[in-house]
């Protein structure tokens, strides 16, 4: 069909409602993440394997019940995997494929371009936490009820903090470099950043450093909330806010569309 | 009287010390098709991206629908459609999803399913973008540019990587847009495309305008520089032919076996040429008297050497 009735393309420009744009953008981003096999491996399967493995096997010394110790660490890992590593890699390749420029050329406001990604990241993290939480319950997890709201607040703040750092990494470098760096940083922070081994299990000099890393701070904060049922220490909030603030500040200066 | 669709005045855009656009001035009228024609590296994409608000002018001014593309970016982007060079989509997004997302940004979008069908992508709505062929990616990109019912569209090399059928479809679409009052600014290095589509052609080279006008104006002959072309066996001695032709005519063999007579080409000249061929015992093939093609104009203006 190549004949177009007159009036087919008569101009009727205009911007859609903000809520509609945000919803469709966030839904598209979240779907793409959950459909991507490598992303699911990173954000769900590895955390699940660690949750089950560390809970059932006596690999690392920790007090019983082991699942109560493991679950907060796995939540922290899930947040880091998804908001930092997954976000950085996706952004690196999205830029390569020109989607940021494509969307920046539509009526979508620039702030919404960020807001849609943030909303999608929060939605994916929610899916992760629900799945991991259900498996943890099946393994006998009994979180401290008093800390649940604190934990939710920390997961949201942690997603924003790691998300800002992920955008900082994924927004400036070539896709392949982003891929390599994001995975290396993920691995180093997992092993030596206070997640698998909590800060107080590390030598004292290193422990002080690890506590101020976003990975260490988030793990400590989630452990305090979910194991002890207490409000996370002030330095947990300060560390996450500082990393997130600095990351976001730097990212607004370094992020490129292509 | 509303502002021009695009008005660029003395535009300069530099990358470091090189000026990709170096004093460009052009005006695209509402409801018309303007083709920016030039070799690779002529500054076409840079000029278009400045009009879209992706780059800042180092000097000069740009007004699109009367707006400043950078300062009034939000207002402008709601009114234009953009097909960036090389497309643009999430690597894993399905064609249908991508178009639905872009459509969701517009107040009164065209029906994405209809547009997908028009562009021959209905068999690929669930194919991830990175698995689409180059031509399919281009068609999706075109759909994204049109779906918001814009009043002005920028098409940067819209037919690059497309097969002849798809190119023809793009031409039909551009004609339909123009018929419905949509302004179109497209870039191309294809002469036939510019000749077929554009009301106004601007030839750019090295960031400057080297010629502009309607295709008819650009290809018009001076009365004493008409051309007669024919093919015959190569290497014939044309001295006798030249002697038989009126004063002021020139004869050359620019390509092997391809002869060119320039001057005032009247019926007598055509008769002289065919008589001479008959004397030589050769058949003059593909004999034609014609205007210059846009390609002739383009090569005369921008030279024959290869561009990077």
């Amino acid at each position: 069909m190549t004949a177009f009735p007159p009036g087919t393309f008569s101009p009727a420009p205009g911007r859609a409602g903000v809520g509609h744009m945000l919803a469709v953008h966030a839904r598209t981003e979240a779907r793409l993440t959950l459909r991507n096999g490598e992303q699911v491996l990173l954000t769900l399967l590895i955390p699940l394997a660690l949750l089950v493995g560390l809970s059932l096997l006596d690999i690392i010394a920790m007090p019983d019940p082991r699942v109560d110790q493991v679950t907060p660490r796995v939540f922290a890992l899930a947040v880091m995997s998804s908001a930092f590593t997954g976000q950085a890699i996706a952004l690196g390749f999205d830029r390569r494929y020109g989607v940021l420029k494509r969307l920046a050329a539509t009526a979508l406001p620039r702030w919404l371009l960020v807001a849609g990604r943030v909303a999608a990241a929060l939605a994916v993290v929610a899916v992760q936490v629900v799945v991991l939480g259900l498996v943890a319950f099946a393994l006998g997890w009994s979180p401290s009820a008093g800390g649940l709201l604190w934990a939710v607040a920390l997961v949201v703040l942690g997603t924003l903090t790691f998300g800002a750092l992920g955008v900082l990494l994924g927004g400036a470098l070539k896709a392949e470099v982003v891929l390599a760096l994001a995975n290396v940083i993920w691995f180093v922070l997992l092993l030596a950043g206070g997640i698998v081994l909590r800060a107080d299990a590390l030598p004292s000099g290193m422990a002080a450093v690890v506590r101020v890393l976003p990975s260490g701070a988030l793990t400590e904060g989630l452990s305090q909330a979910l194991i002890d049922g207490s409000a996370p220490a002030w330095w947990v909030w300060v560390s996450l806010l500082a990393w997130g603030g600095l990351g976001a500040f730097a990212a607004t200066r370094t992020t490129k569309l292509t | 009287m509303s502002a021009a669709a695009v008005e660029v005045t003395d535009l300069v855009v530099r990358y470091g010390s090189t000026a990709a656009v170096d004093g460009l001035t052009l005006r695209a009228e509402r409801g018309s098709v303007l083709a920016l024609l030039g070799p690779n590296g002529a500054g076409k994409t840079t000029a278009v991206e400045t009009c879209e608000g992706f780059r800042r002018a180092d000097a000069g001014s740009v007004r699109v629908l009367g707006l400043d593309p950078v300062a009034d970016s939000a207002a402008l982007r709601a009114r234009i459609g953009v097909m960036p060079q090389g497309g643009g989509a999430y690597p894993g997004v399905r064609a249908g999803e991508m178009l639905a997302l872009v459509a969701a940004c517009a107040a009164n979008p065209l029906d994405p399913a209809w547009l997908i069908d028009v562009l021959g992508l209905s068999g690929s709505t669930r194919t991830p973008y990175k698995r689409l062929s180059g031509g399919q990616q281009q068609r999706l990109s075109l759909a994204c540019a049109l779906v918001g019912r814009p009043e002005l569209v920028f098409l940067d090399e819209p037919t690059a990587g497309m097969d002849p059928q798809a190119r023809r479809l793009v031409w039909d679409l551009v004609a339909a847009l123009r018929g419905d009052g949509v302004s179109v600014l497209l870039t191309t290095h294809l002469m036939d495309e510019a000749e077929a589509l554009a009301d106004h052609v601007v030839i750019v080279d090295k960031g400057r305008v080297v010629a502009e006008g309607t295709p008819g104006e650009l290809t018009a002959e001076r009365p004493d520089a008409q051309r007669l072309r024919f093919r015959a066996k190569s290497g014939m001695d044309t001295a006798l032919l030249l002697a038989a032709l009126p004063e002021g005519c020139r004869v050359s063999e620019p390509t092997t076996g391809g002869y060119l007579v320039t001057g005032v080409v009247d019926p007598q000249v055509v008769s002289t040429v065919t008589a001479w061929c008959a004397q030589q015992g050769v058949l003059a093939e593909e004999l034609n008297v014609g205007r210059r093609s846009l390609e002739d104009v383009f090569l005369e203006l921008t030279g024959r050497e290869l561009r990077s």
Side-chain angles (χ1 to χ4, degrees), chain B residues 97-121:
Chain B
E97 269 176 336
M98 188 66 208
L99 187 58
L101 172 58
V102 175
C105 301
N108 316 292
L110 296 168
D111 176 7
W114 172 80
L115 202 50
I116 284 271
D117 189 39
V118 162
L119 285 158
L121 292 169

Side-chain angles (χ1 to χ4, degrees), chain A residues 108-174:
Chain A
L108 199 70
R110 297 286 160 98
W111 66 265
L112 220 153
L113 205 55
V114 178
R117 283 189 104 92
V118 170
L122 287 171
V124 171
V125 167
V127 170
Q128 291 174 282
V129 168
V130 167
V131 171
L132 291 167
L134 288 174
V135 173
F137 279 125
L139 293 168
W141 179 43
S142 62
S144 170
L148 281 178
L149 279 179
W150 287 118
V152 170
L154 275 176
V155 164
V156 171
L157 178 60
T159 303
L160 298 177
T161 295
F162 275 110
L165 296 170
V167 170
L168 176 63
L169 177 60
L173 303 170
K174 274 179 59 177

Side-chain angles (χ1 to χ4, degrees), chain B:
Chain B
M1 181 64 203
S2 56
V6 178
E7 188 156 27
V8 172
T9 313
D10 299 323
L11 176 66
V12 177
V13 185
R14 291 192 191 91
Y15 298 109
S17 60
T18 38
V21 174
D22 193 10
L24 186 80
T25 296
L26 63 84
R27 183 184 165 91
E29 300 299 337
R30 292 277 178 114
S32 72
V33 178
L34 182 141
L36 210 50
L37 178 67
N40 294 337
K44 303 187 296 290
T45 295
T46 305
V48 168
E49 290 192 344
T50 311
C51 293
E52 294 161 355
F54 284 123
R55 298 186 187 284
R56 284 170 187 277
D58 287 306
S61 79
V62 178
R63 284 289 176 278
V64 179
L65 302 172
L67 301 171
D68 179 322
V70 176
D72 308 321
S73 165
L76 179 61
R77 284 187 288 117
R79 294 170 63 186
I80 64 174
V82 172
M83 179 178 180
Q85 191 168 49
Y90 298 96
V93 79
R94 292 166 183 157
E97 269 176 336
M98 188 66 208
L99 187 58
L101 172 58
V102 175
C105 301
N108 316 292
L110 296 168
D111 176 7
W114 172 80
L115 202 50
I116 284 271
D117 189 39
V118 162
L119 285 158
L121 292 169
S122 34
S124 316
T125 45
R126 296 182 61 80
T127 308
Y129 180 74
K130 62 183 170 191
R131 300 229 178 84
L132 295 175
S133 72
Q136 288 173 323
Q137 291 183 348
Q138 283 285 85
R139 279 182 271 154
L140 176 60
S141 182
L142 178 60
C144 289
L146 302 184
V147 74
R149 291 182 186 268
E151 52 187 290
L152 164 65
V153 291
F154 291 98
L155 309 177
D156 197 354
E157 308 242 338
T159 57
M162 285 189 180
D163 58 29
Q165 289 84 353
R167 271 186 77 199
R168 184 59 61 178
L169 172 66
V170 172
W171 291 15
D172 290 344
L173 275 167
V174 170
L177 290 170
R178 181 177 175 277
D180 286 338
V182 181
S183 313
V184 179
L185 192 157
L186 61 90
T187 73
T188 183
H189 56 258
L190 303 172
M191 317 297 148
D192 56 345
E193 194 157 288
E195 230 162 348
L197 296 181
D199 298 299
H200 195 77
V201 177
V202 176
I203 303 182
V204 291
D205 190 26
K206 302 191 173 92
R208 293 167 170 276
V209 175
V210 292
E212 65 177 305
T214 64
E217 285 164 0
L218 286 170
T219 57
E221 303 281 1
R222 294 204 311 274
D224 59 345
Q226 290 163 300
R227 289 151 198 254
L228 181 155
R229 289 188 178 83
F230 64 94
R231 299 195 61 79
K233 72 173 184 187
S234 63
M236 292 195 293
D237 181 2
T238 54
L240 272 176
L241 172 61
L242 190 58
L245 286 169
E247 192 130 343
C249 284
R250 289 186 305 276
V251 180
S252 61
E253 188 185 347
T255 60
T256 309
Y259 293 84
L260 175 66
V261 177
T262 51
V264 180
V265 177
D266 55 19
Q268 190 57 47
V269 166
V270 178
S271 162
T272 306
V273 167
T274 51
W276 175 75
C277 285
Q279 263 171 19
Q280 305 290 316
V282 301
L283 180 65
E285 295 174 337
E286 296 173 30
L287 184 139
N288 71 71
V289 181
R291 25 193 330 133
R292 311 188 287 177
S293 66
L294 205 47
E295 183 156 4
D296 295 325
V297 178
F298 182 76
L299 290 174
E300 276 163 29
L301 289 167
T302 63
R304 289 180 180 273
E305 78 272 26
L306 276 179
R307 305 303 173 93
S308 56

